[in-house]
Amino acid sequence: MKNTENIMNNDMDDDNPGSALPSLGPNVPAPPAASGVSNGPDYPGSSEDIRQVQGSMADSESASVNDSRSRSASRFVLAVITVAVLVALMVAVVLVPLPAWLVDSGRAGNAAGAQQVDQTDLTYYCPSRMALSDNGKYGDSAFQATEGNVASSARYAAFGSVYEASVGAVTNGSVADNKKLTGGDTLDSATVKTYSGSADQGSQAFETRLLKAKSGTGAAASVASWASEGDLKGLAASTCVVPALEQDFLLGPTTTGVTQQLSVANFSSKATSLQVQVWSTKHGSPLRLSTGNVVNIGANGEATLELSAAASGAEALFVKVKSKETPIAAVVRSVELEGLNAKGSDYAVPLDAASKKAYLPGIVDGDQVTVYARAEQDTDLNLSWVDAKGASSAKTQRLEAGKVVPIDLGKAPEGVIGLEANAAAPVNVAVKVTQNADSGTDFAYVTPSLAYAQSAVVLPDHTDGTLLLLNSAERETKATLQGYDASGKPAGSKQVTLPSKAGTSIVAKDVGDHAVMFRLKNGKNVSMGMRLTQSDVTNAKLASVAYLGASGLEPRNMKVWSTDNAGIVH
């Protein structure tokens, strides 16, 4: 072995290719020698070959580095593109509604629903006592207008399931000054909460909070004003008005000596702007008012507009008052003078929506009757007297679209209780009734009265009344009148049977000696009103006439429909 190692070392030292290794055995051949390659035991080639290999390896490492850098740049570009696409998708999802085919349809059977919303907070506008629109003193005192010994009263009543009711000033009055209605248990529908006072201190807001909105629960209130001396001689009365975004009136003339003062109240804490439109007997389109068509009214405030100045010289007017922002309540004070002679005064209250049929309880024999009517389209209006036996034709009048038409029916026949109006198209109707006496005249406005399952009317203090009922059904109708005294306790009742299309009149004291508030039950086909008298005026042998319409004791509600729509959820 040593000799062999020596031989191998000598060969390497001599840089000699040397001879082949000795034979390892008879059966193992020696490996052939590659051409130009040393047969050394550890190195495959020459030093030149090694340098070539090393250069190749360096080139490979350089290429690998360049390839790594290229891959990093590609990843960066791809990341930037991905972020941009994601941002674009997010913007599209937020701003663009999803296509219908991408939205789940859901369960159609359960997607829609209805909810009934009841009004449990009621507000009414009760005007102040009658007054002259101009109290200025001009010229000789003997020729100056004067209100005389005018007096007033008001009564407020809350029926049924009432939590609380109060009366306070319209114009920013202190809550501490409000008067609460008393009498009657909150849960006892047999009694009534009530309060009575004067209307001398300005217009009042009557607010009622109900525990539950149901038939027989609600409120009614009224105001009366009277005088036996001065320019307001006679009797005037008004029911309290429910606020609305629009209120309409039919009024008498605006000729010399007549004032028609529109008084509007805003109960909201937000100011509003009113648009006032007026139609006359001559034009089917609104008049251009000399005072302008816009009235601004502040929060919790009142405003007035002199219609006699805005549209003077008219035989009759139809007035539409619209609020842009909040519900408003309005009345019109109408005063008529002829030289030094008082011709009467009254309040005009808003009309209900135009209808093809209207019933006006409140006309009695001896009344001088003038009907004011207006329709949005040409139609014929049929008017009929109603008494205890039924209806009889009074007159048929053609109405031209938009124009107000005064219709003189002359003196009401004996036994008449009211008037029925029928037309092929919806019509607004109001009646002016006038009573004459040796010492002068007085008038009142009578508006259509709706029929309710339950309704109520209340007598102001120091007045008396007669209830007038009209049956609009084609069959006999039975109803019950329940009376209450000034403390709100039951004070008698009366069963009433009304023939088809007929009416009846009932003196208030016939319901109960001390009854001053009246509720009509089972009266879904019965319209109710009341004519008033006042002893001071009657004893002075003056003409006096006033009318109060009934207020419905029915829930005010509406249905709100909702539908699920997944398409609006982004």
Side-chain angles (χ1 to χ4, degrees):
M1 291 288 296
K2 292 181 180 180
N3 290 336
T4 302
E5 291 174 357
N6 290 336
I7 292 171
M8 292 177 64
N9 291 334
N10 291 335
D11 289 342
M12 292 178 64
D13 292 339
D14 294 340
D15 197 21
N16 190 331
S19 61
L21 290 172
S23 177
L24 297 177
N27 298 323
V28 180
S35 173
V37 180
S38 171
N39 288 329
D42 299 318
Y43 301 95
S46 64
S47 60
E48 183 63 27
D49 292 334
I50 292 173
R51 284 193 296 273
Q52 291 178 358
V53 171
Q54 291 175 344
S56 175
M57 292 175 63
D59 291 341
S60 176
E61 290 177 358
S62 176
S64 176
V65 171
N66 291 336
D67 185 56
S68 176
R69 291 176 178 173
S70 176
R71 285 196 299 272
S72 298
S74 298
R75 290 193 193 98
F76 176 75
V77 172
L78 183 61
V80 171
I81 293 173
T82 301
V83 170
V85 171
L86 290 175
V87 170
L89 287 174
M90 291 175 65
V91 172
V93 167
V94 171
L95 299 181
V96 180
L98 293 175
W101 58 272
L102 285 178
V103 179
D104 292 337
S105 59
R107 294 175 295 176
N110 299 326
Q115 179 69 41
Q116 180 171 293
V117 179
D118 297 323
Q119 183 180 358
T120 55
D121 289 349
L122 309 179
T123 301
Y124 298 82
Y125 171 56
C126 301
S128 60
R129 68 164 175 80
M130 186 58 65
L132 296 173
S133 60
D134 185 1
N135 288 321
K137 305 297 182 183
Y138 311 103
D140 193 297
S141 60
F143 301 97
Q144 292 175 354
T146 174
E147 294 182 351
N149 60 345
V150 63
S152 68
S153 68
R155 191 183 303 278
Y156 314 87
F159 298 80
S161 183
V162 177
Y163 171 67
E164 184 181 57
S166 62
V167 180
V170 171
T171 54
N172 293 314
S174 171
V175 176
D177 295 333
N178 289 356
K179 306 297 184 183
K180 289 189 179 296
L181 276 67
T182 59
D185 189 340
T186 299
L187 301 177
D188 184 4
S189 60
T191 57
V192 176
K193 291 182 181 295
T194 184
Y195 171 77
S196 182
S198 78
D200 294 343
Q201 304 304 316
S203 302
Q204 300 291 301
F206 175 30
E207 298 178 330
T208 302
R209 297 175 62 189
L210 308 180
L211 288 172
K212 187 177 182 180
K214 61 180 182 180
S215 182
T217 295
S222 62
V223 173
S225 181
W226 62 90
S228 58
E229 300 174 2
D231 293 315
L232 297 178
K233 286 185 293 188
L235 178 62
S238 172
T239 52
C240 295
V241 178
V242 177
L245 288 174
E246 178 182 319
Q247 299 200 322
D248 303 335
F249 301 86
L250 271 169
L251 305 171
T254 57
T255 51
T256 302
V258 179
T259 60
Q260 306 274 17
Q261 184 188 59
L262 175 69
S263 178
V264 187
N266 175 20
F267 297 98
S268 171
S269 58
K270 182 178 182 180
T272 188
S273 178
L274 309 179
Q275 182 183 31
V276 180
Q277 293 178 295
V278 177
W279 288 259
S280 71
T281 57
K282 297 181 179 179
H283 304 282
S285 56
L287 301 177
R288 185 175 180 180
L289 303 183
S290 60
T291 55
N293 291 78
V294 177
V295 176
N296 295 316
I297 180 170
N300 298 306
E302 285 186 276
T304 60
L305 174 65
E306 296 295 341
L307 296 171
S308 299
S312 61
E315 280 187 82
L317 298 178
F318 176 75
V319 181
K320 185 183 293 289
V321 184
K322 288 184 178 180
S323 171
K324 294 183 178 180
E325 302 293 339
T326 64
I328 50 92
V331 298
V332 176
R333 288 181 177 84
S334 181
V335 179
E336 296 187 9
L337 298 172
E338 186 177 7
L340 299 178
N341 299 318
K343 305 291 286 185
S345 62
D346 197 31
Y347 301 90
V349 297
L351 303 168
D352 291 311
S355 62
K356 295 180 180 180
K357 284 189 175 184
Y359 296 88
L360 300 95
I363 300 167
V364 300
D365 52 23
D367 286 344
Q368 195 71 30
V369 180
T370 302
V371 177
Y372 299 109
R374 178 185 178 274
E376 291 287 352
Q377 62 189 76
D378 292 353
T379 190
D380 288 326
L381 176 65
N382 301 307
L383 299 169
S384 301
W385 301 113
V386 181
D387 58 19
K389 297 180 181 180
S392 59
S393 179
K395 191 171 186 178
T396 297
Q397 177 71 46
R398 183 67 175 173
L399 304 181
E400 295 183 33
K403 291 184 179 181
V404 183
V405 179
I407 307 167
D408 184 6
L409 295 184
K411 186 172 289 189
E414 184 179 356
V416 162
I417 296 163
L419 197 68
E420 179 184 351
N422 292 282
V427 177
N428 285 116
V429 178
V431 172
K432 181 183 178 184
V433 295
T434 304
Q435 285 274 354
N436 297 303
D438 294 338
S439 55
T441 64
D442 195 18
F443 68 89
Y445 285 105
V446 177
T447 55
S449 180
L450 298 179
Y452 301 95
Q454 295 198 49
S455 58
V457 63
V458 299
L459 269 173
D461 268 348
H462 311 297
T463 63
D464 296 308
T466 300
L467 294 156
L468 304 167
L469 309 178
L470 293 184
N471 177 20
S472 61
E474 298 287 348
R475 62 187 183 279
E476 181 180 275
T477 297
K478 294 183 178 181
T480 302
L481 271 171
Q482 176 67 57
Y484 302 88
D485 63 17
S487 66
K489 295 178 181 179
S493 65
K494 188 176 182 64
Q495 299 294 321
V496 181
T497 300
L498 299 170
S500 170
K501 296 290 186 178
T504 189
S505 62
I506 302 170
V507 176
K509 292 189 181 301
D510 288 345
V511 179
D513 288 339
H514 302 287
V516 294
M517 298 174 283
F518 305 89
R519 172 160 57 178
L520 180 67
K521 301 179 182 179
N522 303 319
K524 64 178 181 180
N525 297 313
V526 180
S527 299
M528 181 171 67
M530 179 178 281
R531 287 283 290 259
L532 304 186
T533 59
Q534 209 285 324
S535 58
D536 293 342
V537 180
T538 303
N539 293 338
K541 298 183 179 181
L542 298 173
S544 67
V545 54
Y547 172 79
L548 294 174
S551 300
L553 299 180
E554 295 299 318
R556 302 176 192 172
N557 51 45
M558 64 185 301
K559 277 192 175 181
V560 179
W561 291 86
S562 63
T563 303
D564 292 338
N565 185 355
I568 64 175
V569 180
H570 291 172

